[in-house]
Amino acid sequence: ERTPTGCPVSQRAADFDPFENGYQQDPPEYVRWAREQEPIFWSPKLNYWVVTRYDDIKAIFRDNITFSPAIALEKITPTGDEANAVLASYGFALNRTLVNEDEPAHMPRRRALMHSFIPEELKHHEPMVRELAREYVDRFIDDGRADLVDQMLWEIPLTVALHFLGVPEEDMDTLRKYSIAHTVNTWGRPKPEEQVAVAHAVGNFWQYAGKVLDKMRENPEGGGWMQYGLRRQRELPEVVTDSYLHSMMMAGIVAAHETTANATANAMKLLLQHPDVWREVCEDPSLIPNAVEECLRHNGSVAAWRRIVTADAQVGGVDLPAGSKLLIVTSSANHDEGHFADADLFDIRRDNASDHLTFGYGSHQCMGKNLARMEMQIFLEEFARRLPHMRLAPQQFSYVPNTSFRGPEHLWVEWDPKHNPERTQP
Ligand code: HEM
């Protein structure tokens, strides 16, 4: 087998399959060989070039004209006719939002919509996050055992995402199903028979998003980011378009919800796998902000992102012809020895932990990063204060097979409720 530029494909490149368990369990480990020996390789199974080193990935992020984000939300596995017909029957038309918008449209829109993310605006959400975290922990603190994902980490970031966007709180369970379907539809490899069910869920999600937006149009004075967008649309109709608003109403829920839920689950898993580190964090919660960064670096919730090459280019000495699709494995960049000393070591005092690329980099860097950080810090603070004695229960971790969004589907922990600090020192 040969690459599109005519070079032979190595055996490991030919075998690379991001829908396989090896990648799911530990993406940076799965591509260690590439990071060390063949940092940019062609994947015949995916029809993408795969980029694994820190400097190469940063260079790609830096130039969003040559390396366009237009395919960031494109289905990585093209669906069959039947699924496409189902999607069409719902009028599904997810299009450009921000994350997949090219210049010159992107920057004016990003600027027009930035206000809701400034620190003073984000402060308004903090008491709600704290209160939710306390309430959810109250529900299971006397049980001695919990699945942190099912019993807390999935729902709170969803609630926060809905509040942030300005959506009413109803239909949580339906939304949960829909948003997972969107992940599989966009970044997964559903089998032909699954594709149709996924398409129905995505179609319903799309229509639901449209209905919510219509409701918001009737009362655009609400405090959410979507209402803010509707108000901006009045001044800048060609910047904040209807297509943008409907697409963001759907994509925004996933952007704010799954990423943060998964990031917290990954972080707690990592911390509890290092009980000495967890003890230190519990004894000195001022370590939490940098611990969150190190968790995002070591075991982030977005494992890889995408770009398409718009003009013949070279990265790391490899020719990438115009039209090439790139899978940029940010989780691998985060374990690159060339940028992070002793990169596999989990070190919550690492001074460049926040150089990680889990939020992307450059003109499209995650707008919600400080909201996500705030949520993660509050969750860790509440766990450290109220459940410092928790430990991981024996279990196998499972992941939804896809290239990009990554977190354990369940995270079982256990503790002795007799030793709950609020009983022993009320
Ligand atoms: C963009 C990751 C949470 C909103 C992105 C990108 C990544 C990412 C990888 C693309 C960056 C690029 O192309 O350079 C994450 C992770 C999160 C998280 C790992 C949680 C730990 C959130 C939250 C929101 C949000 C809570 C809130 C609404 C956005 C938006 C963009 C974006 C609007 C598009 C920015 C643009 O293209 O200009 N995020 N995200 N994200 N994220 Fe997040």
Side-chain angles (χ1 to χ4, degrees):
E1 259 187 295
R2 302 209 156 251
T3 72
T5 45
C7 302
V9 173
S10 69
Q11 190 56 50
R12 281 170 141 165
D15 291 341
F16 173 77
D17 182 351
F19 307 105
E20 226 174 47
N21 197 43
Y23 178 90
Q24 299 306 324
Q25 292 291 338
D26 191 347
E29 188 55 36
Y30 184 73
V31 295
R32 173 186 298 281
W33 64 273
R35 199 162 57 243
E36 290 173 357
Q37 292 157 34
E38 199 186 343
I40 301 178
F41 67 91
W42 169 254
S43 161
K45 282 196 183 151
L46 207 57
N47 284 323
Y48 272 66
W49 293 92
V50 182
V51 189
T52 60
R53 277 196 189 155
Y54 189 91
D55 289 345
D56 294 340
I57 291 179
K58 207 160 181 178
I60 289 166
F61 273 131
R62 228 180 237 129
D63 180 356
N64 67 325
I65 307 297
T66 313
F67 305 103
S68 156
I71 59 164
L73 302 180
E74 183 183 281
K75 276 184 263 203
I76 203 158
T77 303
T79 38
D81 293 343
E82 198 186 342
N84 289 337
V86 168
L87 283 170
S89 75
Y90 288 93
F92 179 69
L94 184 75
N95 204 329
R96 302 300 174 93
T97 55
L98 284 161
V99 80
N100 58 348
E101 181 64 281
D102 280 313
E103 305 306 339
H106 164 258
M107 258 307 161
R109 191 179 294 157
R110 181 173 164 112
R111 273 193 214 106
L113 299 169
M114 187 55 100
H115 182 74
S116 307
F117 294 95
I118 63 171
E120 301 88 274
E121 289 295 308
L122 292 181
K123 270 210 193 86
H124 301 315
H125 302 284
E126 208 178 304
M128 169 188 59
V129 179
R130 178 83 59 191
E131 204 173 300
L132 284 168
R134 290 194 175 155
E135 237 176 74
Y136 275 71
V137 173
D138 283 343
R139 292 182 196 167
F140 57 68
I141 191 160
D142 289 327
D143 296 350
R145 189 175 153 77
D147 174 358
L148 293 183
V149 175
D150 265 3
Q151 293 178 250
M152 174 167 174
L153 297 179
W154 193 263
E155 284 188 18
I156 300 181
L158 177 55
T159 309
V160 175
L162 295 175
H163 276 283
F164 178 80
L165 293 166
V167 177
E169 243 171 87
E170 62 224 16
D171 296 330
M172 276 242 203
D173 278 344
T174 325
L175 264 177
R176 170 179 180 155
K177 194 176 72 198
Y178 291 167
S179 60
I180 272 283
H182 174 59
T183 300
V184 175
N185 184 50
T186 310
W187 294 279
R189 177 146 292 181
K191 297 195 184 68
E193 63 273 19
E194 276 173 277
Q195 284 182 9
V196 172
V198 168
H200 280 291
V202 170
N204 277 311
F205 192 3
W206 174 253
Q207 291 197 345
Y208 172 85
K211 279 192 205 120
V212 172
L213 195 59
D214 289 342
K215 244 192 274 174
M216 288 173 171
R217 274 187 207 281
E218 284 160 28
N219 175 24
E221 302 318 310
W225 191 42
M226 294 309 301
Q227 285 91 344
Y228 182 70
L230 286 164
R231 295 197 295 276
R232 296 298 278 163
Q233 187 181 38
R234 291 192 207 140
E235 305 150 49
L236 302 164
E238 71 294 345
V239 174
V240 184
T241 59
D242 281 339
S243 166
Y244 158 77
L245 286 165
H246 193 163
S247 297
M248 187 51 111
M249 188 64 241
M250 177 170 154
I253 293 173
V254 179
H257 168 216
E258 286 184 40
T259 51
T260 312
N262 283 332
T264 315
N266 287 334
M268 285 312 301
K269 171 170 173 274
L270 189 58
L271 282 161
L272 296 177
Q273 281 171 333
H274 296 83
D276 296 346
V277 180
W278 175 239
R279 197 168 316 119
E280 276 185 274
V281 166
C282 294
E283 279 162 15
D284 180 4
S286 74
L287 294 168
I288 287 177
N290 207 58
V292 163
E293 284 322 302
E294 177 66 351
C295 289
L296 285 165
R297 180 193 74 85
H298 199 281
N299 194 16
S301 53
V302 172
W305 209 242
R306 286 183 285 168
R307 290 290 189 261
I308 184 164
V309 181
T310 59
D312 291 356
Q314 238 200 15
V315 178
V318 175
D319 288 321
L320 299 171
S324 301
K325 292 181 175 183
L326 311 180
L327 184 74
I328 47 183
V329 189
T330 44
S331 55
S332 168
N334 291 344
H335 282 252
D336 187 338
E337 291 287 337
H339 193 86
F340 298 102
D342 212 347
D344 294 331
L345 181 74
F346 177 49
D347 174 8
I348 59 169
R349 293 186 175 80
R350 189 183 287 279
D351 57 15
N352 67 348
S354 64
D355 284 357
H356 66 75
L357 299 178
T358 304
F359 290 125
Y361 180 78
S363 55
H364 286 271
Q365 198 188 40
C366 180
M367 286 166 84
K369 62 184 181 178
N370 291 327
L371 178 57
R373 285 173 168 141
M374 182 245 281
E375 287 188 58
M376 292 177 71
Q377 289 178 17
I378 289 176
F379 297 147
L380 262 59
E381 280 165 19
E382 292 298 311
F383 288 141
R385 197 167 57 78
R386 304 183 69 190
L387 288 165
H389 51 327
M390 75 172 149
R391 57 187 179 268
L392 275 185
Q395 66 203 292
Q396 296 274 330
F397 295 103
S398 63
Y399 298 85
V400 176
N402 78 101
T403 54
S404 298
F405 285 11
R406 190 175 166 279
E409 290 182 286
H410 303 281
L411 183 64
W412 282 102
V413 295
E414 49 194 29
W415 64 93
D416 184 348
K418 284 202 295 289
H419 293 137
N420 287 358
E422 38 221 79
R423 288 197 185 178
T424 51
Q425 32 183 293

